Amino acid sequence: MRLIAFALGLFAFVAVFLLVLRYTTYLSNVKKGRGNHPAAPTVPVSHDSSMTGEDV
Amino acid sequence: MAVRMEKGHGGQVVHDERIDPQANANLAVWLGLAALTFMAAVFVASNVYLRGWNPSKFTLNNQLLTDLPYWDTLILIVSGVLVLVAATFFARDRWQAFNAVLALAVLSWVATTLIQFRLMLWFAGYNQQIKTIDWPTSMIVFALTFISTVLIAIAGWYASFANKAKVNAFFPVAMNVWLYTVMFGIVVLLMERVLTVGQFAAWCGLHA
């Protein structure tokens, strides 16, 4: 019984750890893809010449 | 995880090598808090076990001292719900509603911090056993609630800026600490009041 309680407690701890981390990561990322970043260019910028090799 | 190009000084594009500093901050804060959990657990368990006190010494015979932690935890849970509500407004960029909920949350966090401070002092003066086990854990809870209050004040200050970049970066990371504080408070209540330290001592095989 105590072993089960301990296992459940440990499971709950890890589960909550991961859930909160997931939630705060969501909160961190929810703003990144939207809105006008203060430093964002006001004219459309071509990314064709980007040397980073990534599509943005 | 979305990785975006950051603009460096002068507007040139800086390659950021797929590092997301904010996700790292979330993880770092959480790992630190997990370490605090194990430190507190080892502190309590080793003190109760090694000192070998009679389990009945951990009983509180004061109605106020047995009831107040429950009320304190209730306010703590309300505080946690309030920051979660604020977070939904935060995610939708509704800053007025966000500020209003954050103001309520400040009141609630200050209340729980003050109650926890008073509890901490009462535990310190109760008896040697309570002073050894309940006082340090209530100090940790007080420290966490105090830090949470400071963090929420900083979040409110950042939210007052016209440029929301700072609050956008700060609020999600501070959320780790707020949610952890609420959970730590609940676990301490379960371990020390719902179950008791005396029961744990008896389980360790300690008797009079």
Side-chain angles (χ1 to χ4, degrees), chain A residues 2 10 13 16-18 20-21 23-35 37-41 45 47 50 52 54-56, chain B residues 1 4-5 7 15 18 20 22-23 26-27 30-31 34 37-38 84 87 90-93 95 163 165 168 171-172 175-176 179 183 203:
Chain A
R2 275 179 183 135
L10 197 65
F13 182 82
V16 163
F17 175 99
L18 293 175
V20 173
L21 198 56
Y23 177 65
T24 50
T25 307
Y26 152 76
L27 276 185
S28 295
N29 288 337
V30 71
K31 297 299 186 74
K32 288 182 182 168
R34 108 161 88 101
H37 192 276
V45 179
H47 291 287
S50 167
T52 61
E54 280 189 326
D55 287 331
V56 181
Chain B
M1 230 164 276
R4 298 180 55 80
M5 294 298 118
K7 298 286 184 289
H15 185 55
R18 288 201 157 273
D20 182 351
Q22 210 172 15
N26 283 329
L27 185 61
W30 254 103
L31 290 180
T37 309
F38 286 102
L84 285 175
F90 168 83
R92 286 186 236 146
D93 280 335
W95 295 109
N163 181 349
N168 283 349
F171 187 81
M175 181 61 87
N176 290 300
L179 293 182
M183 286 183 302
W203 178 69

Short mmCIF file of all heavy atoms in Angstrom, two decimals, chain A residues 2 10 13 16-18 20-21 23-35 37-41 45 47 50 52 54-56, chain B residues 1 4-5 7 15 18 20 22-23 26-27 30-31 34 37-38 84 87 90-93 95 163 165 168 171-172 175-176 179 183 203:
data_model
loop_
_atom_site.label_atom_id
_atom_site.label_comp_id
_atom_site.label_asym_id
_atom_site.label_seq_id
_atom_site.Cartn_x
_atom_site.Cartn_y
_atom_site.Cartn_z
N ARG A 2 1.87 1.26 0.94
CA ARG A 2 2.74 2.45 1.00
C ARG A 2 3.59 2.57 -0.25
O ARG A 2 3.87 3.66 -0.71
CB ARG A 2 3.63 2.35 2.23
CG ARG A 2 2.92 2.90 3.45
CD ARG A 2 3.74 2.80 4.69
NE ARG A 2 2.94 3.28 5.80
CZ ARG A 2 2.85 2.68 6.96
NH1 ARG A 2 3.50 1.56 7.17
NH2 ARG A 2 2.11 3.18 7.92
N LEU A 10 5.39 9.77 -6.74
CA LEU A 10 6.52 10.04 -7.63
C LEU A 10 6.03 10.30 -9.05
O LEU A 10 6.47 11.24 -9.73
CB LEU A 10 7.48 8.85 -7.61
CG LEU A 10 8.88 9.10 -8.16
CD1 LEU A 10 9.61 10.10 -7.28
CD2 LEU A 10 9.66 7.80 -8.24
N PHE A 13 4.49 13.68 -9.21
CA PHE A 13 5.52 14.72 -9.20
C PHE A 13 6.11 14.92 -10.59
O PHE A 13 6.18 16.05 -11.10
CB PHE A 13 6.62 14.33 -8.20
CG PHE A 13 7.70 15.36 -8.07
CD1 PHE A 13 7.53 16.46 -7.26
CD2 PHE A 13 8.89 15.21 -8.77
CE1 PHE A 13 8.53 17.42 -7.16
CE2 PHE A 13 9.89 16.16 -8.67
CZ PHE A 13 9.70 17.27 -7.85
N VAL A 16 3.44 16.35 -13.03
CA VAL A 16 3.21 17.78 -12.83
C VAL A 16 4.38 18.60 -13.32
O VAL A 16 4.22 19.63 -13.98
CB VAL A 16 2.91 18.04 -11.33
CG1 VAL A 16 3.06 19.51 -11.00
CG2 VAL A 16 1.51 17.59 -10.99
N PHE A 17 5.59 18.11 -13.03
CA PHE A 17 6.81 18.75 -13.54
C PHE A 17 6.72 18.94 -15.05
O PHE A 17 6.89 20.05 -15.57
CB PHE A 17 8.00 17.83 -13.17
CG PHE A 17 9.34 18.25 -13.69
CD1 PHE A 17 10.24 18.93 -12.87
CD2 PHE A 17 9.74 17.93 -14.98
CE1 PHE A 17 11.48 19.30 -13.34
CE2 PHE A 17 10.99 18.30 -15.45
CZ PHE A 17 11.86 18.98 -14.63
N LEU A 18 6.40 17.85 -15.77
CA LEU A 18 6.37 17.93 -17.23
C LEU A 18 5.21 18.79 -17.73
O LEU A 18 5.36 19.55 -18.68
CB LEU A 18 6.29 16.52 -17.82
CG LEU A 18 7.55 15.68 -17.59
CD1 LEU A 18 7.35 14.27 -18.08
CD2 LEU A 18 8.74 16.31 -18.28
N VAL A 20 3.66 21.35 -16.17
CA VAL A 20 3.90 22.78 -15.96
C VAL A 20 4.95 23.30 -16.92
O VAL A 20 4.82 24.39 -17.49
CB VAL A 20 4.30 23.07 -14.49
CG1 VAL A 20 4.70 24.52 -14.32
CG2 VAL A 20 3.15 22.74 -13.57
N LEU A 21 5.98 22.48 -17.16
CA LEU A 21 7.02 22.89 -18.11
C LEU A 21 6.43 23.06 -19.50
O LEU A 21 6.74 24.02 -20.22
CB LEU A 21 8.13 21.84 -18.12
CG LEU A 21 9.47 22.28 -18.69
CD1 LEU A 21 9.96 23.51 -17.97
CD2 LEU A 21 10.48 21.17 -18.54
N TYR A 23 3.31 23.76 -20.15
CA TYR A 23 2.43 24.93 -20.12
C TYR A 23 3.22 26.24 -20.22
O TYR A 23 2.87 27.14 -20.98
CB TYR A 23 1.61 24.91 -18.83
CG TYR A 23 0.72 26.11 -18.66
CD1 TYR A 23 -0.33 26.36 -19.54
CD2 TYR A 23 0.93 27.01 -17.61
CE1 TYR A 23 -1.14 27.46 -19.39
CE2 TYR A 23 0.12 28.11 -17.46
CZ TYR A 23 -0.91 28.33 -18.35
OH TYR A 23 -1.70 29.44 -18.20
N THR A 24 4.32 26.34 -19.44
CA THR A 24 5.09 27.59 -19.48
C THR A 24 5.84 27.72 -20.82
O THR A 24 6.05 28.83 -21.29
CB THR A 24 6.09 27.67 -18.31
OG1 THR A 24 6.84 26.47 -18.24
CG2 THR A 24 5.37 27.88 -17.00
N THR A 25 6.20 26.58 -21.42
CA THR A 25 6.80 26.66 -22.75
C THR A 25 5.78 27.17 -23.76
O THR A 25 6.09 27.98 -24.63
CB THR A 25 7.32 25.27 -23.16
OG1 THR A 25 8.17 24.78 -22.13
CG2 THR A 25 8.12 25.35 -24.44
N TYR A 26 4.53 26.69 -23.60
CA TYR A 26 3.45 27.21 -24.45
C TYR A 26 3.29 28.72 -24.27
O TYR A 26 3.20 29.47 -25.23
CB TYR A 26 2.14 26.47 -24.13
CG TYR A 26 0.90 27.29 -24.40
CD1 TYR A 26 0.44 27.48 -25.70
CD2 TYR A 26 0.19 27.90 -23.36
CE1 TYR A 26 -0.68 28.25 -25.96
CE2 TYR A 26 -0.91 28.66 -23.60
CZ TYR A 26 -1.35 28.84 -24.89
OH TYR A 26 -2.45 29.62 -25.15
N LEU A 27 3.29 29.16 -22.99
CA LEU A 27 3.16 30.60 -22.72
C LEU A 27 4.33 31.38 -23.31
O LEU A 27 4.16 32.49 -23.79
CB LEU A 27 3.12 30.86 -21.21
CG LEU A 27 1.78 30.72 -20.49
CD1 LEU A 27 1.96 31.14 -19.03
CD2 LEU A 27 0.70 31.56 -21.13
N SER A 28 5.52 30.76 -23.28
CA SER A 28 6.69 31.44 -23.85
C SER A 28 6.56 31.57 -25.37
O SER A 28 6.96 32.57 -25.95
CB SER A 28 7.96 30.65 -23.54
OG SER A 28 8.20 30.62 -22.17
N ASN A 29 6.00 30.54 -26.00
CA ASN A 29 6.01 30.51 -27.46
C ASN A 29 4.80 31.18 -28.08
O ASN A 29 4.84 31.52 -29.26
CB ASN A 29 6.08 29.06 -27.95
CG ASN A 29 7.46 28.48 -27.72
OD1 ASN A 29 8.42 29.22 -27.61
ND2 ASN A 29 7.54 27.18 -27.60
N VAL A 30 3.72 31.36 -27.29
CA VAL A 30 2.47 31.84 -27.88
C VAL A 30 2.62 33.24 -28.47
O VAL A 30 1.94 33.60 -29.42
CB VAL A 30 1.33 31.76 -26.84
CG1 VAL A 30 1.49 32.81 -25.76
CG2 VAL A 30 -0.02 31.92 -27.51
N LYS A 31 3.57 34.02 -27.93
CA LYS A 31 3.73 35.40 -28.42
C LYS A 31 4.73 35.51 -29.56
O LYS A 31 4.85 36.55 -30.17
CB LYS A 31 4.23 36.30 -27.27
CG LYS A 31 3.29 36.43 -26.11
CD LYS A 31 1.98 37.05 -26.54
CE LYS A 31 1.09 37.31 -25.36
NZ LYS A 31 1.51 38.43 -24.57
N LYS A 32 5.51 34.45 -29.80
CA LYS A 32 6.65 34.63 -30.68
C LYS A 32 6.28 34.75 -32.15
O LYS A 32 6.99 35.37 -32.91
CB LYS A 32 7.64 33.49 -30.48
CG LYS A 32 8.35 33.63 -29.15
CD LYS A 32 9.37 32.57 -28.92
CE LYS A 32 10.01 32.75 -27.56
NZ LYS A 32 10.80 31.62 -27.16
N GLY A 33 5.17 34.12 -32.53
CA GLY A 33 4.86 34.12 -33.95
C GLY A 33 3.90 35.19 -34.39
O GLY A 33 3.37 35.16 -35.49
N ARG A 34 3.62 36.13 -33.50
CA ARG A 34 2.56 37.08 -33.85
C ARG A 34 2.89 38.50 -33.41
O ARG A 34 3.81 38.71 -32.64
CB ARG A 34 1.25 36.60 -33.23
CG ARG A 34 0.73 37.38 -32.06
CD ARG A 34 -0.72 37.08 -31.87
NE ARG A 34 -0.90 35.91 -31.00
CZ ARG A 34 -1.22 36.03 -29.71
NH1 ARG A 34 -1.36 37.20 -29.18
NH2 ARG A 34 -1.41 34.97 -28.98
N GLY A 35 2.11 39.44 -33.90
CA GLY A 35 2.26 40.81 -33.44
C GLY A 35 3.44 41.49 -34.10
O GLY A 35 4.22 40.89 -34.82
N HIS A 37 6.81 42.90 -33.71
CA HIS A 37 7.98 43.03 -32.86
C HIS A 37 8.53 44.44 -33.04
O HIS A 37 8.57 44.94 -34.16
CB HIS A 37 9.02 41.99 -33.27
CG HIS A 37 10.13 41.86 -32.28
ND1 HIS A 37 11.21 42.70 -32.30
CD2 HIS A 37 10.32 41.01 -31.25
CE1 HIS A 37 12.01 42.36 -31.31
NE2 HIS A 37 11.50 41.34 -30.66
N PRO A 38 8.90 45.11 -31.95
CA PRO A 38 9.35 46.50 -32.07
C PRO A 38 10.50 46.66 -33.05
O PRO A 38 10.64 47.71 -33.68
CB PRO A 38 9.79 46.86 -30.66
CG PRO A 38 9.67 45.64 -29.84
CD PRO A 38 8.83 44.66 -30.56
N ALA A 39 11.32 45.62 -33.19
CA ALA A 39 12.47 45.73 -34.08
C ALA A 39 12.16 45.21 -35.48
O ALA A 39 13.03 45.17 -36.34
CB ALA A 39 13.65 44.98 -33.51
N ALA A 40 10.90 44.78 -35.70
CA ALA A 40 10.57 44.17 -36.99
C ALA A 40 10.55 45.23 -38.08
O ALA A 40 10.14 46.36 -37.85
CB ALA A 40 9.22 43.49 -36.91
N PRO A 41 11.02 44.85 -39.27
CA PRO A 41 11.00 45.81 -40.38
C PRO A 41 9.57 46.11 -40.82
O PRO A 41 8.70 45.23 -40.73
CB PRO A 41 11.78 45.09 -41.48
CG PRO A 41 11.70 43.65 -41.13
CD PRO A 41 11.57 43.56 -39.65
N VAL A 45 10.45 41.92 -46.18
CA VAL A 45 11.84 41.62 -46.46
C VAL A 45 11.91 40.28 -47.16
O VAL A 45 11.25 39.33 -46.77
CB VAL A 45 12.66 41.55 -45.14
CG1 VAL A 45 14.11 41.21 -45.42
CG2 VAL A 45 12.55 42.86 -44.41
N HIS A 47 13.49 36.86 -47.98
CA HIS A 47 14.41 35.97 -47.29
C HIS A 47 15.19 35.10 -48.26
O HIS A 47 15.87 34.17 -47.86
CB HIS A 47 13.63 35.07 -46.32
CG HIS A 47 13.07 35.85 -45.17
ND1 HIS A 47 13.86 36.34 -44.15
CD2 HIS A 47 11.81 36.25 -44.90
CE1 HIS A 47 13.10 37.00 -43.29
NE2 HIS A 47 11.86 36.96 -43.73
N SER A 50 18.84 34.96 -47.69
CA SER A 50 19.32 34.63 -46.35
C SER A 50 20.43 33.60 -46.43
O SER A 50 20.33 32.61 -47.13
CB SER A 50 18.16 34.06 -45.53
OG SER A 50 18.66 33.47 -44.38
N THR A 52 21.38 31.93 -43.84
CA THR A 52 21.26 31.01 -42.72
C THR A 52 20.81 29.63 -43.17
O THR A 52 20.89 28.66 -42.41
CB THR A 52 20.25 31.52 -41.69
OG1 THR A 52 18.99 31.63 -42.34
CG2 THR A 52 20.67 32.87 -41.16
N GLU A 54 17.81 28.74 -43.63
CA GLU A 54 16.54 28.37 -43.02
C GLU A 54 15.41 29.18 -43.60
O GLU A 54 15.59 30.36 -43.93
CB GLU A 54 16.58 28.65 -41.52
CG GLU A 54 17.28 27.59 -40.74
CD GLU A 54 17.09 27.82 -39.26
OE1 GLU A 54 17.02 29.00 -38.87
OE2 GLU A 54 16.99 26.85 -38.53
N ASP A 55 14.27 28.60 -43.72
CA ASP A 55 13.08 29.36 -44.07
C ASP A 55 12.51 29.93 -42.80
O ASP A 55 12.38 29.23 -41.80
CB ASP A 55 12.04 28.45 -44.72
CG ASP A 55 12.45 28.09 -46.12
OD1 ASP A 55 13.15 28.90 -46.76
OD2 ASP A 55 12.08 27.00 -46.56
N VAL A 56 12.17 31.21 -42.85
CA VAL A 56 11.62 31.83 -41.65
C VAL A 56 10.13 32.00 -41.85
O VAL A 56 9.71 32.44 -42.90
CB VAL A 56 12.29 33.18 -41.37
CG1 VAL A 56 11.70 33.79 -40.11
CG2 VAL A 56 13.78 32.99 -41.21
N MET B 1 10.18 23.18 -31.30
CA MET B 1 10.06 24.52 -30.76
C MET B 1 10.41 25.54 -31.85
O MET B 1 11.38 25.38 -32.56
CB MET B 1 11.02 24.68 -29.59
CG MET B 1 10.35 25.23 -28.39
SD MET B 1 11.37 24.94 -26.97
CE MET B 1 10.88 23.26 -26.57
N ARG B 4 13.15 31.55 -34.13
CA ARG B 4 13.04 32.67 -35.05
C ARG B 4 14.33 33.46 -35.07
O ARG B 4 15.12 33.41 -34.16
CB ARG B 4 11.88 33.57 -34.63
CG ARG B 4 10.55 32.88 -34.67
CD ARG B 4 9.45 33.82 -34.26
NE ARG B 4 9.44 35.03 -35.05
CZ ARG B 4 8.90 35.10 -36.25
NH1 ARG B 4 8.37 34.05 -36.81
NH2 ARG B 4 8.90 36.24 -36.91
N MET B 5 14.48 34.19 -36.16
CA MET B 5 15.65 35.03 -36.27
C MET B 5 15.49 36.24 -35.37
O MET B 5 14.46 36.89 -35.36
CB MET B 5 15.81 35.52 -37.71
CG MET B 5 16.12 34.43 -38.70
SD MET B 5 17.66 33.62 -38.35
CE MET B 5 17.09 31.98 -38.04
N LYS B 7 16.71 40.05 -34.25
CA LYS B 7 17.36 41.21 -34.85
C LYS B 7 18.42 41.74 -33.91
O LYS B 7 18.14 42.04 -32.76
CB LYS B 7 16.33 42.31 -35.11
CG LYS B 7 15.23 41.89 -36.07
CD LYS B 7 15.74 41.84 -37.50
CE LYS B 7 14.63 41.51 -38.48
NZ LYS B 7 14.19 40.12 -38.37
N HIS B 15 22.15 34.96 -36.57
CA HIS B 15 21.80 33.55 -36.49
C HIS B 15 21.89 33.09 -35.04
O HIS B 15 22.92 33.27 -34.40
CB HIS B 15 22.76 32.74 -37.37
CG HIS B 15 22.38 31.30 -37.44
ND1 HIS B 15 21.14 30.89 -37.83
CD2 HIS B 15 23.08 30.18 -37.16
CE1 HIS B 15 21.09 29.58 -37.80
NE2 HIS B 15 22.24 29.12 -37.39
N ARG B 18 19.71 27.99 -33.10
CA ARG B 18 18.62 27.13 -32.61
C ARG B 18 18.53 27.06 -31.09
O ARG B 18 18.09 26.07 -30.52
CB ARG B 18 18.76 25.70 -33.16
CG ARG B 18 18.44 25.60 -34.63
CD ARG B 18 18.09 24.19 -35.01
NE ARG B 18 17.29 24.18 -36.23
CZ ARG B 18 15.99 24.29 -36.25
NH1 ARG B 18 15.32 24.41 -35.12
NH2 ARG B 18 15.32 24.29 -37.38
N ASP B 20 16.83 28.44 -27.76
CA ASP B 20 15.68 29.20 -27.30
C ASP B 20 15.91 29.55 -25.83
O ASP B 20 15.71 28.71 -24.96
CB ASP B 20 14.41 28.35 -27.46
CG ASP B 20 13.17 29.12 -27.06
OD1 ASP B 20 13.33 30.22 -26.49
OD2 ASP B 20 12.06 28.63 -27.30
N GLN B 22 14.46 31.27 -23.64
CA GLN B 22 13.35 31.26 -22.70
C GLN B 22 12.96 29.83 -22.30
O GLN B 22 12.65 29.58 -21.13
CB GLN B 22 12.15 31.96 -23.33
CG GLN B 22 11.29 32.60 -22.29
CD GLN B 22 10.22 33.44 -22.92
OE1 GLN B 22 9.95 33.34 -24.11
NE2 GLN B 22 9.60 34.27 -22.14
N ALA B 23 13.00 28.90 -23.26
CA ALA B 23 12.74 27.51 -22.91
C ALA B 23 13.80 27.00 -21.96
O ALA B 23 13.51 26.27 -21.01
CB ALA B 23 12.70 26.65 -24.17
N ASN B 26 12.92 28.31 -18.54
CA ASN B 26 11.86 27.51 -17.92
C ASN B 26 12.42 26.24 -17.31
O ASN B 26 12.12 25.88 -16.17
CB ASN B 26 10.80 27.14 -18.96
CG ASN B 26 9.89 28.31 -19.28
OD1 ASN B 26 9.63 29.14 -18.42
ND2 ASN B 26 9.40 28.36 -20.49
N LEU B 27 13.25 25.55 -18.08
CA LEU B 27 13.80 24.28 -17.60
C LEU B 27 14.72 24.52 -16.41
O LEU B 27 14.67 23.79 -15.42
CB LEU B 27 14.55 23.59 -18.74
CG LEU B 27 15.08 22.20 -18.39
CD1 LEU B 27 13.93 21.26 -18.03
CD2 LEU B 27 15.87 21.61 -19.53
N TRP B 30 12.77 25.21 -13.31
CA TRP B 30 12.12 24.00 -12.81
C TRP B 30 13.10 23.04 -12.19
O TRP B 30 12.81 22.41 -11.18
CB TRP B 30 11.32 23.30 -13.91
CG TRP B 30 9.88 23.54 -13.66
CD1 TRP B 30 9.08 24.42 -14.31
CD2 TRP B 30 9.08 22.94 -12.65
NE1 TRP B 30 7.84 24.40 -13.75
CE2 TRP B 30 7.80 23.51 -12.74
CE3 TRP B 30 9.31 21.99 -11.66
CZ2 TRP B 30 6.76 23.15 -11.89
CZ3 TRP B 30 8.27 21.64 -10.81
CH2 TRP B 30 7.02 22.21 -10.93
N LEU B 31 14.28 22.90 -12.77
CA LEU B 31 15.26 21.98 -12.19
C LEU B 31 15.70 22.50 -10.82
O LEU B 31 15.87 21.72 -9.88
CB LEU B 31 16.46 21.82 -13.13
CG LEU B 31 16.15 21.02 -14.40
CD1 LEU B 31 17.38 20.91 -15.27
CD2 LEU B 31 15.62 19.63 -14.06
N ALA B 34 12.91 21.67 -8.45
CA ALA B 34 12.90 20.23 -8.15
C ALA B 34 13.99 19.91 -7.13
O ALA B 34 13.77 19.11 -6.21
CB ALA B 34 13.09 19.42 -9.42
N THR B 37 12.77 20.76 -3.79
CA THR B 37 11.85 19.74 -3.29
C THR B 37 12.60 18.62 -2.59
O THR B 37 12.26 18.24 -1.46
CB THR B 37 11.06 19.13 -4.47
OG1 THR B 37 10.50 20.16 -5.23
CG2 THR B 37 9.98 18.19 -3.96
N PHE B 38 13.65 18.11 -3.25
CA PHE B 38 14.37 16.98 -2.67
C PHE B 38 15.15 17.41 -1.45
O PHE B 38 15.26 16.65 -0.48
CB PHE B 38 15.27 16.34 -3.73
CG PHE B 38 14.47 15.55 -4.72
CD1 PHE B 38 14.18 16.05 -5.97
CD2 PHE B 38 13.97 14.30 -4.37
CE1 PHE B 38 13.42 15.33 -6.86
CE2 PHE B 38 13.21 13.58 -5.26
CZ PHE B 38 12.93 14.08 -6.51
N LEU B 84 -3.24 31.88 -13.17
CA LEU B 84 -3.59 31.11 -14.37
C LEU B 84 -4.61 31.87 -15.22
O LEU B 84 -4.53 31.88 -16.45
CB LEU B 84 -4.15 29.74 -13.98
CG LEU B 84 -3.12 28.72 -13.51
CD1 LEU B 84 -3.80 27.44 -13.04
CD2 LEU B 84 -2.15 28.39 -14.64
N ALA B 87 -2.89 34.45 -16.97
CA ALA B 87 -2.12 33.89 -18.08
C ALA B 87 -2.98 33.74 -19.34
O ALA B 87 -2.49 33.92 -20.45
CB ALA B 87 -1.52 32.55 -17.69
N PHE B 90 -3.08 37.04 -20.74
CA PHE B 90 -1.73 37.31 -21.25
C PHE B 90 -1.56 36.71 -22.65
O PHE B 90 -1.07 37.36 -23.57
CB PHE B 90 -0.72 36.71 -20.28
CG PHE B 90 0.69 36.64 -20.77
CD1 PHE B 90 1.52 37.74 -20.70
CD2 PHE B 90 1.19 35.46 -21.31
CE1 PHE B 90 2.83 37.67 -21.14
CE2 PHE B 90 2.50 35.39 -21.75
CZ PHE B 90 3.30 36.50 -21.68
N ALA B 91 -2.03 35.46 -22.79
CA ALA B 91 -1.85 34.77 -24.08
C ALA B 91 -2.65 35.44 -25.18
O ALA B 91 -2.29 35.37 -26.35
CB ALA B 91 -2.27 33.31 -23.93
N ARG B 92 -3.78 36.12 -24.80
CA ARG B 92 -4.61 36.77 -25.82
C ARG B 92 -4.31 38.26 -25.95
O ARG B 92 -5.09 38.99 -26.57
CB ARG B 92 -6.08 36.58 -25.47
CG ARG B 92 -6.57 35.15 -25.72
CD ARG B 92 -8.05 35.07 -25.49
NE ARG B 92 -8.37 34.05 -24.48
CZ ARG B 92 -9.37 34.13 -23.61
NH1 ARG B 92 -10.15 35.20 -23.61
NH2 ARG B 92 -9.59 33.17 -22.75
N ASP B 93 -3.26 38.74 -25.29
CA ASP B 93 -2.88 40.15 -25.35
C ASP B 93 -3.97 41.09 -24.84
O ASP B 93 -4.07 42.23 -25.29
CB ASP B 93 -2.52 40.56 -26.79
CG ASP B 93 -1.10 40.12 -27.14
OD1 ASP B 93 -0.30 39.97 -26.21
OD2 ASP B 93 -0.83 39.92 -28.33
N TRP B 95 -4.53 43.24 -22.25
CA TRP B 95 -3.69 43.75 -21.17
C TRP B 95 -4.48 44.37 -20.04
O TRP B 95 -4.08 44.30 -18.88
CB TRP B 95 -2.67 44.75 -21.72
CG TRP B 95 -1.71 44.06 -22.63
CD1 TRP B 95 -1.63 44.19 -23.99
CD2 TRP B 95 -0.73 43.08 -22.28
NE1 TRP B 95 -0.66 43.36 -24.48
CE2 TRP B 95 -0.09 42.68 -23.46
CE3 TRP B 95 -0.33 42.51 -21.07
CZ2 TRP B 95 0.92 41.73 -23.48
CZ3 TRP B 95 0.68 41.58 -21.08
CH2 TRP B 95 1.30 41.19 -22.28
N ASN B 163 5.86 49.00 -24.37
CA ASN B 163 6.47 47.89 -25.09
C ASN B 163 6.34 46.62 -24.24
O ASN B 163 6.89 46.56 -23.14
CB ASN B 163 7.94 48.23 -25.36
CG ASN B 163 8.64 47.14 -26.13
OD1 ASN B 163 8.11 46.04 -26.30
ND2 ASN B 163 9.83 47.44 -26.61
N ALA B 165 7.50 43.66 -24.69
CA ALA B 165 8.50 42.61 -24.88
C ALA B 165 8.99 42.06 -23.55
O ALA B 165 9.18 40.85 -23.40
CB ALA B 165 9.67 43.17 -25.69
N ASN B 168 6.34 39.92 -21.84
CA ASN B 168 6.22 38.69 -22.62
C ASN B 168 7.33 37.70 -22.30
O ASN B 168 7.11 36.49 -22.29
CB ASN B 168 6.25 39.00 -24.13
CG ASN B 168 4.93 39.57 -24.60
OD1 ASN B 168 3.93 39.54 -23.87
ND2 ASN B 168 4.92 40.11 -25.80
N PHE B 171 6.88 36.92 -17.83
CA PHE B 171 5.71 36.28 -17.22
C PHE B 171 5.72 34.75 -17.32
O PHE B 171 5.48 34.08 -16.31
CB PHE B 171 4.43 36.87 -17.86
CG PHE B 171 3.17 36.42 -17.21
CD1 PHE B 171 2.72 37.02 -16.05
CD2 PHE B 171 2.43 35.39 -17.76
CE1 PHE B 171 1.55 36.60 -15.44
CE2 PHE B 171 1.26 34.97 -17.16
CZ PHE B 171 0.82 35.58 -16.00
N PRO B 172 6.01 34.17 -18.50
CA PRO B 172 5.98 32.69 -18.58
C PRO B 172 6.98 32.03 -17.66
O PRO B 172 6.71 30.98 -17.09
CB PRO B 172 6.31 32.40 -20.05
CG PRO B 172 5.97 33.64 -20.77
CD PRO B 172 6.28 34.75 -19.83
N MET B 175 5.88 32.19 -14.12
CA MET B 175 4.76 31.27 -13.90
C MET B 175 5.22 29.94 -13.29
O MET B 175 4.53 29.35 -12.47
CB MET B 175 4.05 31.03 -15.24
CG MET B 175 2.86 30.13 -15.17
SD MET B 175 1.58 30.78 -14.12
CE MET B 175 0.70 31.77 -15.25
N ASN B 176 6.42 29.49 -13.66
CA ASN B 176 6.97 28.27 -13.06
C ASN B 176 7.03 28.39 -11.54
O ASN B 176 6.63 27.48 -10.82
CB ASN B 176 8.40 28.02 -13.57
CG ASN B 176 8.44 27.62 -15.01
OD1 ASN B 176 7.87 26.61 -15.39
ND2 ASN B 176 9.08 28.42 -15.83
N LEU B 179 3.40 28.51 -9.88
CA LEU B 179 2.73 27.21 -9.84
C LEU B 179 3.45 26.26 -8.89
O LEU B 179 2.83 25.50 -8.15
CB LEU B 179 2.65 26.60 -11.25
CG LEU B 179 1.74 27.36 -12.21
CD1 LEU B 179 1.67 26.66 -13.56
CD2 LEU B 179 0.34 27.50 -11.64
N MET B 183 1.95 24.33 -5.49
CA MET B 183 2.02 22.88 -5.30
C MET B 183 2.82 22.53 -4.06
O MET B 183 2.47 21.62 -3.32
CB MET B 183 2.63 22.23 -6.54
CG MET B 183 1.65 22.22 -7.67
SD MET B 183 2.30 21.39 -9.09
CE MET B 183 3.74 22.33 -9.39
N TRP B 203 5.83 5.67 11.68
CA TRP B 203 6.09 4.75 10.58
C TRP B 203 7.57 4.38 10.51
O TRP B 203 7.95 3.28 10.13
CB TRP B 203 5.62 5.40 9.27
CG TRP B 203 5.88 4.55 8.08
CD1 TRP B 203 5.28 3.38 7.76
CD2 TRP B 203 6.83 4.81 7.04
NE1 TRP B 203 5.79 2.89 6.59
CE2 TRP B 203 6.74 3.75 6.13
CE3 TRP B 203 7.74 5.85 6.78
CZ2 TRP B 203 7.52 3.69 4.98
CZ3 TRP B 203 8.52 5.78 5.65
CH2 TRP B 203 8.40 4.70 4.76
#
